[in-house]
Amino acid sequence: TSLKAIANYVQKEYENAEPVARAMRGLTDVQILIDEEPTLLEGVPANDPRNDIIIFKWKENWKIAKRQEQFLESNVSKAYALVLEQCSEAMKTAVKGLPGHEIVAENVDLIELLKEIKGVACNHKANIQGTYALVQSTKTLWTHIQLPHVSNDQYMENFMALVGV
């Protein structure tokens, strides 16, 4: 199953999961920004009605952000399990054998898991010399061609996976 298909499934089936699906597609972390304190108007008394409105809006935005944070945590955890579920036993073994995977698993870091899977799938070996690995990756990228039975979308997905390595 492709990353795009899993991200689409997450977005359709999980509640408020659009940020998680977007992060999966782009392999970027999701951040929900919450201001710790409201920014009051300068030179205006704290009990001024204009500051009351600012404080009210901040409280509402804070509640929304906290709710989004809860959805995010739940959806990332579910998506992490879904991604692992879709992996073959050989892929699971290869990923578990990667250095630093224990931390990824402990933190339920979905994006790092996807990057690990991508690295294993693209045959990026961490145990070979860095320069040689770079040359091999570059060669694989430059010699990557679209076969007749491969759709444009699938070719683009494979190509972008190689570019990321």
Side-chain angles (χ1 to χ4, degrees):
T1 306
S2 73
L3 174 60
K4 186 177 177 182
I6 293 173
N8 288 342
Y9 178 84
V10 166
Q11 186 171 348
K12 284 190 291 187
E13 298 298 325
Y14 299 170
E15 189 175 357
N16 294 326
E18 196 274 329
V20 175
R22 190 175 346 108
M24 290 174 70
R25 288 184 196 103
L27 293 179
T28 56
D29 289 324
V30 180
Q31 294 181 345
I32 297 174
L33 302 175
I34 304 173
D35 291 333
E36 292 301 317
E37 293 184 17
T39 306
L40 302 178
L41 296 172
E42 290 185 30
V44 177
N47 61 352
D48 187 280
R50 292 177 288 179
N51 278 335
D52 290 342
I53 292 170
I54 291 172
I55 292 171
F56 176 78
K57 285 181 180 179
W58 173 80
K59 284 181 181 179
E60 291 302 310
N61 288 338
W62 191 84
K63 288 177 191 175
I64 291 168
K66 281 298 184 185
R67 199 166 34 251
Q68 287 174 338
E69 207 172 61
Q70 290 171 342
F71 278 119
L72 176 66
E73 190 175 310
S74 171
N75 288 332
V76 164
S77 179
K78 287 190 247 177
Y80 184 94
L82 176 67
V83 168
L84 272 181
E85 203 174 90
Q86 295 298 311
C87 291
S88 67
E89 287 302 317
M91 177 61 81
K92 288 178 190 175
T93 302
V95 168
K96 287 178 183 175
L98 292 173
H101 177 73
E102 299 82 25
I103 296 168
V104 172
E106 186 178 306
N107 295 335
V108 190
D109 191 339
L110 174 63
I111 303 305
E112 282 304 312
L113 173 66
L114 291 171
K115 287 178 181 177
E116 288 179 343
I117 291 170
K118 184 177 176 180
V120 170
C122 293
N123 203 17
H124 177 59
K125 296 182 172 76
N127 58 351
I128 60 177
Q129 187 179 12
T131 306
Y132 180 72
L134 179 61
V135 170
Q136 286 297 103
S137 295
T138 304
K139 177 187 172 216
T140 304
L141 175 65
W142 283 101
T143 58
H144 185 66
I145 62 170
Q146 183 176 4
L147 300 174
H149 66 280
V150 177
S151 70
N152 288 343
D153 288 339
Q154 185 62 43
Y155 173 75
M156 186 63 172
E157 188 174 322
N158 292 342
F159 181 79
M160 293 308 292
L162 290 172
V163 169
V165 175

